[in-house]
Amino acid sequence: MNPIYLDNNATTRVAPEVLEEMLPYLRDLYGNPSSMHTFGGQLHRKIEEAREKVASLLNALPEEIIFTSCGTESDDTAIMSAVESLPRKKHVITTRVEHPAVLNFCRHIARKGYRATFVPVNNLGRLDTDFLFKSIDDDTAVVSIMYANNETGVVFPIAGIAEKLKERGVLFHTDAVQAGGKIPLDLKELPVDMLSLSGHKLHAPKGIGVLYVRRGTRFSPYIIGGHQERGRRAGTENVASIIGLGKACEIAAKHIHKEAADLKRLCDRLETSLLNCCPDTRVNGDTENRLPNTTNISFEYVEGEAILLRLNEFGICASSGSACTSGSLEPSHVLRAMGIPYTAVHGSIRFSLSRYTTEKEIDRVIEVMPGIIRELRELSPFGREKIVCPPE
Ligand code: PLP
């Protein structure tokens, strides 16, 4: 039986049309695009067609698109390129709620002699933009701020920030890995210098990413070697995945407005129903500025891990911000940065929908969830005191 897959911010299903488009390049047309012979060389044209499709989704120029291996590589390249292009500047600014791809990279370069500032958010996950602008000084090389948060779906006001940073002459990168393909991104209207995308968040395969670099932006490659990607990212191209990503972007561009509206309706219904039928629940994050597919709900006095295990028995896949399930020792740094109490962080569940999520699947979650929460709360011999919280 197919699972009810509500973990699309972790990864998405490869769209059947994308797989179809890729298969010939895995099976028969396996040449190297750099080869002199036609068998390989013909692939060059296909890569350029895919680049045009990605550029079209972003309203960018094809030459501004660099294919990478993933969102993480795109993020790291953007920050590294900025600090290498401006060698006298030693300060980077990011936020406390970034994905580890940016957060840990900034911590890494901070250990190598750079200064890193981490901008806080409020209890709705909204960015403290005053803090951001006050943090900029003559030493600032780059600001990297995510477009949308992977855990809460909160969307930051990137266009407004970008305008201000342009006036201050600071390079600006945005990690749009969670926004790409879900909400419109128009780089003619959005004056960022660099932007990251990841294929597997928008129904292309894992292992393919994009770094957009605005024409005229100073760029220093991170992966050094051959001449691929016009010398900006060495390594033999992941031809099939690039072609798949092109197709995924083409599909996303065609349906983005309708899909966003459909997702929002389904996601809102799930959220409202769960809040209504489960007591002691709360939504984490700014519901006014949020991705249409994401809701992060805390079920107080229950462990997120226990909820996920019970959901799993019903064939429902979601994810949690509690320490046990997030693969780290610490509970969600995003929810903690928002000042969400420990009891709520531990019981937080993220549901993230996709174009393949059906009404029936949402109905099923609404049907089983109240029973799961009731049962887990009753099972707990200590009731509400079961979760031992460290002092705030
Ligand atoms: N940035 C954000 C906001 C993400 O959600 C993710 C993945 O979850 C990444 C970066 C990393 O992307 P990838 O898995 O392609 O390296």
Side-chain angles (χ1 to χ4, degrees), residues 9-10 69-73 75 99 101 146 148-150 175 177-178 197-201 207-208:
N9 287 7
S69 70
C70 59
T72 302
E73 185 193 320
D75 288 343
H99 185 273
M146 67 198 329
N149 189 275
N150 44 304
D175 173 346
V177 162
Q178 289 295 343
L197 292 183
S198 173
H200 73 108
K201 310 291 185 181
I208 183 72

Side-chain angles (χ1 to χ4, degrees), residues 88-91 115 135-141 168-170:
R88 281 208 289 275
K89 303 201 176 207
K90 300 284 178 207
H91 180 215
R115 197 159 45 92
S135 304
I136 297 169
D137 57 33
D138 292 344
D139 201 29
T140 308
R168 306 280 297 261
V170 179

Side-chain angles (χ1 to χ4, degrees), residues 375-386:
E375 180 193 315
L376 290 174
R377 283 183 180 151
E378 277 167 12
L379 266 178
S380 161
F382 307 106
R384 298 184 165 199
E385 282 107 67
K386 171 102 191 294

Side-chain angles (χ1 to χ4, degrees), residues 69-336:
S69 70
C70 59
T72 302
E73 185 193 320
S74 302
D75 288 343
D76 291 8
T77 303
I79 298 167
M80 202 60 201
S81 165
V83 296
E84 291 224 322
S85 316
L86 301 163
R88 281 208 289 275
K89 303 201 176 207
K90 300 284 178 207
H91 180 215
V92 297
I93 301 177
T94 186
T95 79
R96 291 199 191 160
V97 295
E98 295 298 308
H99 185 273
V102 168
L103 205 55
N104 286 340
F105 194 74
C106 290
R107 288 181 182 141
H108 169 73
I109 61 170
R111 286 191 293 271
K112 301 205 175 284
Y114 288 86
R115 197 159 45 92
T117 299
F118 299 91
V119 181
V121 295
N122 71 7
N123 61 356
L124 288 177
R126 288 188 183 151
L127 197 66
D128 186 341
T129 46
D130 287 342
F131 186 105
L132 162 64
F133 297 127
K134 279 188 193 136
S135 304
I136 297 169
D137 57 33
D138 292 344
D139 201 29
T140 308
V142 62
V143 175
S144 178
I145 296 178
M146 67 198 329
Y147 202 100
N149 189 275
N150 44 304
E151 293 191 30
T152 58
V154 170
V155 173
F156 285 149
I158 294 299
I161 295 172
E163 288 291 351
K164 285 244 167 67
L165 293 183
K166 212 165 115 187
E167 287 163 20
R168 306 280 297 261
V170 179
L171 280 176
F172 186 29
H173 163 250
T174 185
D175 173 346
V177 162
Q178 289 295 343
K182 292 177 191 158
I183 50 176
L185 296 172
D186 180 343
L187 286 161
K188 295 272 178 317
E189 300 292 324
L190 188 72
V192 299
D193 301 300
M194 291 178 278
L195 174 145
S196 305
L197 292 183
S198 173
H200 73 108
K201 310 291 185 181
L202 53 107
H203 304 290
K206 295 161 191 61
I208 183 72
V210 165
L211 179 61
Y212 158 88
V213 181
R214 187 175 295 278
R215 189 160 60 171
T217 305
R218 291 191 203 194
F219 184 77
S220 171
Y222 190 42
I223 308 265
I224 314 253
H227 54 83
Q228 293 90 351
E229 297 296 287
R230 297 167 66 220
R232 294 180 298 177
R233 198 280 184 183
T236 301
E237 298 88 339
N238 183 350
V239 179
S241 294
I242 288 173
I243 290 168
L245 178 59
K247 184 70 184 174
C249 288
E250 185 182 62
I251 299 170
K254 212 179 267 175
H255 305 292
I256 199 158
H257 293 284
K258 177 170 184 321
E259 272 181 18
D262 290 348
L263 281 170
K264 180 166 171 16
R265 191 181 47 78
L266 273 186
C267 197
D268 284 354
R269 192 158 80 76
L270 173 65
E271 181 175 280
T272 313
S273 304
L274 293 182
L275 292 183
N276 282 341
C277 49
C278 305
D280 292 319
T281 50
R282 52 182 284 169
V283 177
N284 298 313
D286 177 4
T287 52
E288 281 166 29
N289 300 293
R290 194 172 60 167
L291 291 174
N293 79 318
T294 309
T295 174
N296 187 310
I297 303 178
S298 281
F299 300 87
E300 298 236 26
Y301 319 112
V302 197
E303 287 281 2
E305 187 181 41
I307 302 173
L308 288 188
L309 288 174
R310 289 292 287 126
L311 283 173
N312 192 48
E313 287 167 21
F314 288 98
I316 299 166
C317 309
S319 73
S320 161
S322 79
C324 334
T325 49
S326 58
S328 82
L329 294 175
E330 292 293 323
S332 161
H333 68 283
V334 175
L335 300 185
R336 295 297 295 142

